[in-house]
Amino acid sequence: MAEKKKLLIRIGSLRHGGAEKVLVTFLKNLPEDQYEIDLLLNLYSGKYLPEVPKWINILYLHKGEMITTNRPHEIPKKAARVLYQGMLKKFPNILYKGKLKNKKYDLEFAAIHGMRDEILGSPLKNSKKVVWIHNDLSQVKGYTDQEIRKFFGFDRIMVISEKIEQLFHSLARNEKEKQKIVKIYNPLDTGEFISKADQPVLNYTFDNTVPTFISVGTVFPQKGFDRLLKVHKKLLDEGFQHKILIIGDGYDFENIRKLKSDLGVDETATMLGFTDNPYPYFRNADFYILSSRYEGFPTVLFEALALKKRIISTEVSGAAEMLNNGELGLLVDNSEDGIYHGIKEALSHPESFEKYTLKLKDYAMPFNLENSVHKIASILDNL
């Protein structure tokens, strides 16, 4: 029997995010007899922890909840975490000789772009190194072309959309660097969220007299919930009655909730916070709205498509691919004005969305779980 391949996988935590979800889905579909995996988290936290297969060894630098505010009593703990992680980044031998017990890995895997320096700074010079890019880094603050080029230090750069693939190809300086770039659609389990969508809705009552627009995601500026609420207010002022439902939590939650109150839309816009199962809300809402400023390959659109929702999406990376260049949903300009025109179209001419509903009726998802897992595994096996 062939010896198991030893993998170290690094990610911040297993909180409620798209990258975290696809990593755990991938791990759940890997054969136990072929890999020996250490999953190293910066923070032992998140909804996906219980879903990690038992044969995978979970290690962590800190335990407890993510600290997303600067409340005085939390600052010492937050500072201690940052200093400790900074020390391990500067002196990686401490981590590898201590917590990782001098283990010699065949492959080290950064499951998000934020783990780039930790993996490339590994003292294991013979291990192969892979990174999984989930965002259009050209839209992420601090990622200049020079910063993005540092990813060519990896042996393989896995990207999740055509737009990200094009970005890396444009920065590659030779054929060898281009060959490092591999596009793989995220492994997602369609059956899982279709079955979960049949469960009852909790903590919210849908109003059948007006359309409800749902948006799901981690609450931080990338997701554009501020734009969505401002558009909501503008349309209400113009006489277009509708409701907005935002599901998710994140460090910007209080700011967005304050904006909601400041705009005077507390009666028509609801921020439900985090829920383990957002899919019954998807199913009962009239429209799905993606208001993001940037994405990589928005997992949430995959879920909305699987649940046959009428979709409005800003033109971010991956959206045109997923919506077949506008055949399966309405693509709008990536701006507040674009979101405004998209929702207004849905409210003024709901019949214009019937063409998308008809297309989705017999639509077979091209993003196959088995194919994605097989393709990622073949990269790991052949390095």
Side-chain angles (χ1 to χ4, degrees), residues 136-335:
D136 177 2
L137 296 182
S138 67
Q139 301 297 311
V140 179
K141 189 177 178 181
Y143 279 90
T144 59
D145 287 355
Q146 188 178 354
E147 273 299 303
I148 298 171
R149 272 205 46 78
K150 290 179 182 177
F151 286 95
F152 285 103
F154 285 89
D155 296 287
R156 287 291 181 276
I157 302 165
M158 293 183 354
V159 300
I160 62 171
S161 74
E162 282 179 9
K163 190 172 182 185
I164 304 174
E165 183 182 36
Q166 287 163 6
L167 169 67
F168 275 89
H169 272 283
S170 73
L171 294 173
R173 289 179 180 166
N174 52 51
E175 197 57 38
K176 186 180 178 183
E177 287 188 346
K178 285 181 180 177
Q179 286 174 1
K180 292 184 176 188
I181 306 159
V182 186
K183 185 185 78 175
I184 301 175
Y185 291 126
N186 278 336
L188 292 161
D189 190 345
T190 312
E192 179 191 348
F193 43 80
I194 289 175
S195 64
K196 284 184 175 180
D198 290 331
Q199 294 176 20
V201 167
L202 306 171
N203 308 320
Y204 187 78
T205 303
F206 281 90
D207 183 345
N208 294 325
T209 65
V210 295
T212 298
F213 294 78
I214 186 172
S215 197
V216 180
T218 307
V219 183
F220 53 88
Q222 172 192 338
K223 301 300 181 183
F225 294 134
D226 56 326
R227 307 195 291 188
L228 178 58
L229 289 175
K230 288 172 187 174
V231 165
H232 173 53
K233 166 66 172 170
K234 185 177 178 181
L235 286 164
L236 287 175
D237 288 347
E238 291 176 10
F240 291 97
Q241 296 306 307
H242 64 291
K243 291 194 173 179
I244 297 288
L245 175 60
I246 296 171
I247 295 180
D249 201 355
Y251 70 75
D252 215 27
F253 189 90
E254 291 305 323
N255 290 333
I256 299 298
R257 185 155 65 179
K258 183 178 183 300
L259 173 65
K260 182 166 71 78
S261 296
D262 290 347
L263 290 169
V265 295
D266 283 333
E267 294 299 312
T268 51
T270 302
M271 294 181 69
L272 203 60
F274 172 72
T275 174
D276 275 324
N277 182 13
Y279 306 114
Y281 302 88
F282 271 83
R283 177 154 280 175
N284 284 275
D286 299 282
F287 295 89
Y288 187 85
I289 173 82
L290 185 85
S291 55
S292 294
R293 290 181 166 89
Y294 63 89
E295 289 283 349
F297 197 73
T299 302
V300 73
L301 282 189
F302 178 94
E303 296 166 342
L305 285 169
L307 294 169
K308 314 294 186 189
K309 299 313 299 178
R310 292 180 286 181
I311 296 167
I312 302 164
S313 173
T314 50
E315 288 206 53
V316 290
S317 170
E321 270 176 90
M322 296 194 87
L323 298 178
N324 274 6
N325 294 311
E327 283 188 8
L328 303 174
L330 180 62
L331 286 164
V332 299
D333 185 65
N334 187 0
S335 65

Side-chain angles (χ1 to χ4, degrees), residues 60 123 310 337:
Y60 54 88
R310 292 180 286 181
D337 197 48

Side-chain angles (χ1 to χ4, degrees), residues 72-90:
H73 70 281
E74 292 178 332
I75 289 173
K77 183 186 275 190
K78 190 175 184 179
R81 286 178 180 178
V82 171
L83 288 169
Y84 181 57
Q85 285 171 217
M87 179 192 71
L88 295 180
K89 196 170 175 178
K90 192 170 183 180

